[in-house]
Amino acid sequence: MTQVYETQAERTDLPLVVMPSVLDSMVEPIRLQFPQLHDIARVRMFEEFTSDEDAIASRLRDADVLLVGGYHISDDLLRRITGHGPNGADEGHVRCIVFCGTGVASYVDLDLAREFGVRVCNAEHYGDHAVAEHAFALMFELIRHVGELDKDVKAGNWAWKGGDGLQLAGRRLGIIGLGGIGSTVASIAKAFGMEVGAWSSHVPEALFERCGAEPVADMNELIASSDVVSVHLPLIDGVTRGIITAEHLEHLRPGTLFINTARSEVIEPGALLARLQRGDIPAGLDVFDHEPLKSGDAICQIPGIVLTPHVGWRTDGAFRELTRQMVECVRAFLTGGECNVVVHE
């Protein structure tokens, strides 16, 4: 039976905040934040993860604010929970959606939310270190094969036949997108003794200097001159969606490591798969065109690449900061303020 956590259940005069589905790792961190809503809102959290739309809609029937994470809100579900479905307000009246992440545009139709007069909020920079560290975890698996070596040793195979490792020190890292995560990656890379170049638009020149990255104005030039290419662009419709094209990927030299812990949608559809299928680019990917991946997916059949299930952001520190921001967004909405507003109501 689903455990339901509630605060101030008797205060029916207060607006209701509902989290209808939650990742196990978020339960305790967000519980610790809910006291910030004392005398501001009631909270109801269903302590299981589900993406079943009927279950989510049912749990949100009386909600004023939705805390969402880990699943997509279809247009149909958005209509239902905001009172714009066939059953009108009887099915829902959510006025604010708070997303547990930055790239909310990948999970909710923002234009439709705007049409319905629903505020949408996200979280910012909560996972800069988490995702940056995961990018290096992928790099190290590609160059040192720690997972494979562990299996070999435990199986009694001491002699490594997979070839010697590579070192990062002295190699050049090309970063596409020098925001919070990209600049953190640059700083870590410098500490490892790497040369760092970066292509990024709309960031101050001082940021390049602060994290030790050389600005490169042409993405093709950056890619062609790098031993490792790491993508850290946010997904912004009309700006970064598909910004990395098949033509850009043609500039990857054989043997170049390609890392993506950002969003798959920043790459032209089909372009990365086609490039990797040539078999000469080791890649580490945490994001994909279709999630979750199926075992028969074409990208799973390519040798020499490492795949992880969109977990780069999932660390204890990231969860603490993420849940703090989520609750602050709720508090601001219900007290007349603003916090991380992506769509105004």
Side-chain angles (χ1 to χ4, degrees):
M1 186 174 181
T2 303
Q3 294 277 13
V4 180
Y5 171 83
E6 292 194 72
T7 68
Q8 305 181 96
E10 74 287 351
R11 291 290 309 274
T12 56
D13 58 307
L14 296 175
L16 178 62
V17 177
V18 175
M19 194 163 197
S21 174
V22 61
L23 298 169
D24 289 345
S25 303
M26 288 185 66
V27 171
E28 190 57 28
I30 201 163
R31 268 191 178 191
L32 294 174
Q33 297 296 332
F34 285 146
Q36 303 301 318
L37 298 176
H38 184 71
D39 287 340
I40 295 174
R42 296 173 287 151
V43 171
R44 184 180 300 151
M45 179 170 66
F46 294 81
E47 296 185 347
E48 69 167 1
F49 180 78
T50 180
S51 57
D52 181 84
E53 293 196 351
D54 289 335
I56 290 170
S58 176
R59 294 171 182 182
L60 288 169
R61 191 177 303 277
D62 300 319
D64 300 284
V65 177
L66 161 62
L67 300 178
V68 59
Y71 57 92
H72 290 77
I73 298 179
S74 69
D75 292 352
D76 178 63
L77 180 58
L78 183 60
R79 289 186 175 92
R80 293 170 66 182
I81 66 176
T82 58
H84 292 82
N87 297 318
D90 288 340
E91 196 163 11
H93 57 263
V94 168
R95 298 179 290 125
C96 177
I97 296 172
V98 178
F99 178 67
C100 74
T102 302
V104 63
S106 298
Y107 291 81
V108 183
D109 186 325
L110 300 183
D111 289 333
L112 195 59
R114 187 177 292 109
E115 179 185 330
F116 294 161
V118 175
R119 178 183 290 195
V120 179
C121 304
N122 68 351
E124 299 178 348
H125 300 296
Y126 67 93
D128 288 358
H129 286 278
V131 178
E133 290 172 10
H134 193 74
F136 279 95
L138 291 170
M139 289 182 213
F140 277 117
E141 184 58 33
L142 288 171
I143 65 174
R144 301 307 300 264
H145 311 286
V146 173
E148 293 176 62
L149 290 168
D150 171 70
K151 291 178 181 178
D152 277 357
V153 170
K154 290 175 178 176
N157 302 320
W158 186 258
W160 171 238
K161 297 182 174 59
D164 295 329
L166 304 173
Q167 72 177 38
L168 294 181
R171 283 185 160 81
R172 181 171 174 82
L173 171 65
I175 297 173
I176 302 177
L178 199 67
I181 297 171
S183 58
T184 303
V185 168
S187 298
I188 295 172
K190 294 296 288 186
F192 276 125
M194 301 185 77
E195 298 178 11
V196 181
W199 176 93
S200 195
S201 57
H202 310 301
V203 298
E205 192 170 318
L207 180 58
F208 287 90
E209 297 176 7
R210 190 158 61 245
C211 65
E214 172 198 353
V216 180
D218 183 80
M219 194 188 300
N220 286 335
E221 179 185 339
L222 175 74
I223 292 172
S225 64
S226 297
D227 301 300
V228 183
V229 173
S230 195
V231 180
H232 300 289
L233 291 166
L235 177 62
I236 304 172
D237 279 326
V239 180
T240 62
R241 183 179 291 274
I243 195 171
I244 302 173
T245 66
E247 194 272 332
H248 288 127
L249 297 180
E250 284 296 319
H251 288 78
L252 288 167
R253 292 179 283 113
T256 301
L257 274 61
F258 186 87
I259 308 294
N260 189 4
T261 55
R263 284 287 189 272
S264 65
E265 296 94 335
V266 301
I267 302 174
E268 178 185 338
L272 181 60
L273 176 62
R275 183 65 188 86
L276 294 181
Q277 283 178 325
R278 297 186 203 172
D280 61 350
I281 299 296
L285 308 176
D286 189 48
V287 292
F288 308 93
D289 292 340
H290 306 287
E291 298 180 6
L293 280 184
K294 304 296 184 184
S295 60
D297 194 285
I299 205 160
C300 296
Q301 314 309 314
I302 303 173
I305 66 175
V306 175
L307 311 178
T308 55
H310 204 152
V311 295
W313 62 282
R314 295 183 63 166
T315 67
D316 55 349
F319 279 125
R320 284 194 298 271
E321 177 58 17
L322 169 61
T323 54
R324 184 197 68 78
Q325 289 190 41
M326 291 177 71
V327 171
E328 181 55 34
C329 287
V330 174
R331 182 184 176 90
F333 173 69
L334 295 175
T335 58
E338 290 195 3
C339 179
N340 297 353
V341 177
V342 179
V343 172
H344 287 85
E345 67 276 24

